[in-house]
């Protein structure tokens, strides 16, 4: 049921261990495309500072943060992230909607995460707490790309263009940005 980088996502003891690196080659995608869905999984950070993401409604082999949407999976409690931008914290719709910053469980402990996508509405819940709830179209005032082809977009939080933000359907993907993360009980 998966395609893309099937080498750096290793099934082990009932979990998927991530060792994929940043870039399009580090992503694992569902073979099927989805429009409205609920994506549930458990995750476990094995080391400080792990940075990954979940691509939603994304084409394959592109930068999902811009050609689709990326929901951050980030151990933002690590000291290296003391100056992290608000739209980069765990559970954020990257560059578009900041999440409520939570304190993660200790390294090695499992947490639950749910990403619910209905139309333009995205809700992210971690360990039973809603940390992101937004209409992405309203968040950027309907301007996922800058007017008149400009490169700096005044309507997005990160000031970048997100041409895939309003995709109606696409793949769900794990976006590997480095080792030290496990997933289990993954279901759509």
């Amino acid at each position: 049921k998966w395609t893309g980088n099937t080498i750096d996502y290793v099934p082990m003891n009932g979990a998927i261990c991530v060792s994929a690196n940043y870039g399009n080659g580090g992503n694992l995608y569902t073979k099927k495309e989805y429009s409205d869905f609920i994506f549930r999984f458990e995750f476990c950070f094995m080391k400080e500072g792990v940075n990954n993401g979940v691509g939603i409604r994304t084409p394959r082999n592109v930068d999902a943060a811009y050609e689709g949407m990326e929901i951050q999976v980030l151990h933002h409690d690590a000291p290296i992230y003391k100056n992290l931008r608000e739209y980069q914290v765990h559970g954020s719709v990257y560059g578009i909607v900041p999440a409520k910053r939570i304190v993660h469980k200790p390294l090695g402990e499992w947490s639950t995460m749910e990403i619910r996508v209905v139309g333009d509405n995205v809700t992210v819940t971690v360990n039973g707490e809603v940390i992101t709830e937004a209409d992405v179209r309203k968040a950027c005032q309907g301007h996922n790309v800058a007017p008149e082809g400009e490169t700096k977009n005044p309507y997005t939080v990160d000031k970048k263009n997100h041409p895939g933000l309003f995709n109606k359907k696409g793949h769900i993907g794990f976006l590997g940005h480095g080792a030290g993360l496990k997933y289990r009980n993954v279901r759509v």
Side-chain angles (χ1 to χ4, degrees):
K1 297 184 181 186
W2 298 94
T3 187
N5 185 337
T6 56
I7 295 170
D8 295 319
Y9 293 82
V10 181
M12 190 180 311
N13 299 323
I16 300 170
C17 300
V18 180
S19 63
N21 289 316
Y22 182 76
N24 299 331
N27 299 340
L28 182 70
Y29 303 96
T30 57
K31 286 184 178 177
K32 182 178 174 185
E33 291 189 351
Y34 296 90
S35 54
D36 293 349
F37 59 87
I38 299 171
F39 186 55
R40 292 183 178 122
F41 56 91
E42 294 176 59
F43 67 96
C44 176
F45 294 121
M46 301 306 293
K47 66 179 190 178
E48 271 192 354
V50 173
N51 179 7
N52 277 251
V54 173
I56 55 177
R57 290 187 184 154
T58 183
R60 293 192 310 224
N61 303 317
V62 298
D63 191 335
Y66 304 99
E67 301 300 327
M69 277 186 266
E70 179 178 355
I71 307 300
Q72 285 286 84
V73 177
L74 178 72
H75 186 256
H76 58 228
D77 297 338
I80 62 169
Y81 294 126
K82 67 180 179 181
N83 296 320
L84 194 66
R85 293 182 177 96
E86 63 179 3
Y87 62 81
Q88 295 175 308
V89 301
H90 182 89
S92 295
V93 180
Y94 187 85
I96 303 296
V97 179
K100 174 185 175 187
R101 191 173 185 138
I102 58 169
V103 174
H104 286 295
K105 290 183 178 183
L107 296 177
E109 289 190 23
W110 289 95
S111 291
T112 61
M113 189 160 168
E114 177 184 284
I115 301 169
R116 181 182 301 258
V117 181
V118 179
D120 292 329
N121 297 296
V122 177
T123 304
V124 179
T125 306
V126 175
N127 296 325
E129 181 180 359
V130 174
I131 61 171
T132 305
E133 190 168 26
D135 178 322
V136 294
R137 192 173 300 268
K138 285 183 182 175
C140 64
Q141 299 174 48
H143 297 282
N144 57 322
V145 293
E148 301 177 25
E150 297 173 31
T151 56
K152 190 171 183 181
N153 189 343
Y155 298 100
T156 60
V157 178
D158 67 356
K159 305 299 181 210
K160 295 183 179 179
N161 287 318
H162 292 259
L165 185 64
F166 303 148
N167 291 349
K168 298 293 183 200
K169 68 176 185 171
H171 301 277
I172 299 171
F174 288 124
L175 312 177
H177 301 338
L181 175 67
K182 291 194 239 180
Y183 293 109
R184 71 179 183 192
N185 295 324
V186 178
R187 58 223 184 268
V188 181

